[in-house]
mmCIF file of all heavy atoms in Angstrom:
data_model
loop_
_atom_site.group_PDB
_atom_site.id
_atom_site.type_symbol
_atom_site.label_atom_id
_atom_site.label_comp_id
_atom_site.label_asym_id
_atom_site.label_seq_id
_atom_site.Cartn_x
_atom_site.Cartn_y
_atom_site.Cartn_z
ATOM 1 N N GLY Y 52 -35.965 0.611 2.943
ATOM 2 C CA GLY Y 52 -37.394 0.625 2.673
ATOM 3 C C GLY Y 52 -37.945 2.011 2.390
ATOM 4 O O GLY Y 52 -39.161 2.209 2.333
ATOM 5 N N PHE Y 113 -27.984 -1.493 -10.727
ATOM 6 C CA PHE Y 113 -27.681 -0.153 -11.210
ATOM 7 C C PHE Y 113 -26.479 0.440 -10.485
ATOM 8 O O PHE Y 113 -25.596 1.044 -11.101
ATOM 9 C CB PHE Y 113 -28.912 0.745 -11.020
ATOM 10 C CG PHE Y 113 -28.630 2.214 -11.107
ATOM 11 C CD1 PHE Y 113 -28.183 2.785 -12.290
ATOM 12 C CD2 PHE Y 113 -28.782 3.037 -9.996
ATOM 13 C CE1 PHE Y 113 -27.917 4.153 -12.369
ATOM 14 C CE2 PHE Y 113 -28.519 4.392 -10.065
ATOM 15 C CZ PHE Y 113 -28.074 4.951 -11.257
ATOM 16 N N GLN Y 182 -18.962 -12.642 -23.511
ATOM 17 C CA GLN Y 182 -19.877 -13.382 -24.377
ATOM 18 C C GLN Y 182 -19.780 -14.884 -24.144
ATOM 19 O O GLN Y 182 -20.807 -15.579 -24.130
ATOM 20 C CB GLN Y 182 -19.584 -13.048 -25.850
ATOM 21 C CG GLN Y 182 -19.949 -11.628 -26.247
ATOM 22 C CD GLN Y 182 -19.568 -11.295 -27.671
ATOM 23 O OE1 GLN Y 182 -18.742 -11.983 -28.295
ATOM 24 N NE2 GLN Y 182 -20.142 -10.225 -28.215
ATOM 25 N N LEU Y 208 -20.770 -28.435 -15.598
ATOM 26 C CA LEU Y 208 -20.813 -27.560 -14.427
ATOM 27 C C LEU Y 208 -19.404 -27.218 -13.935
ATOM 28 O O LEU Y 208 -19.153 -26.112 -13.470
ATOM 29 C CB LEU Y 208 -21.617 -28.224 -13.308
ATOM 30 C CG LEU Y 208 -23.119 -28.380 -13.590
ATOM 31 C CD1 LEU Y 208 -23.797 -29.192 -12.487
ATOM 32 C CD2 LEU Y 208 -23.782 -27.016 -13.723
ATOM 33 N N GLY Y 239 9.364 5.801 0.524
ATOM 34 C CA GLY Y 239 10.554 4.986 0.746
ATOM 35 C C GLY Y 239 11.812 5.700 0.325
ATOM 36 O O GLY Y 239 12.858 5.604 0.984
ATOM 37 N N SER Y 263 41.187 12.503 15.594
ATOM 38 C CA SER Y 263 41.565 13.355 16.747
ATOM 39 C C SER Y 263 42.342 12.554 17.753
ATOM 40 O O SER Y 263 43.310 13.046 18.341
ATOM 41 C CB SER Y 263 40.281 13.921 17.391
ATOM 42 O OG SER Y 263 39.600 14.760 16.472
ATOM 43 N N GLN Y 266 45.881 12.073 16.557
ATOM 44 C CA GLN Y 266 46.664 13.293 16.646
ATOM 45 C C GLN Y 266 47.106 13.560 18.096
ATOM 46 O O GLN Y 266 48.195 14.090 18.341
ATOM 47 C CB GLN Y 266 45.838 14.469 16.117
ATOM 48 C CG GLN Y 266 45.646 14.419 14.614
ATOM 49 C CD GLN Y 266 44.744 15.533 14.125
ATOM 50 O OE1 GLN Y 266 44.330 16.384 14.913
ATOM 51 N NE2 GLN Y 266 44.448 15.533 12.815
#
Side-chain angles (χ1 to χ4, degrees):
F113 164 64
Q182 291 176 342
L208 292 174
S263 297
Q266 289 176 4

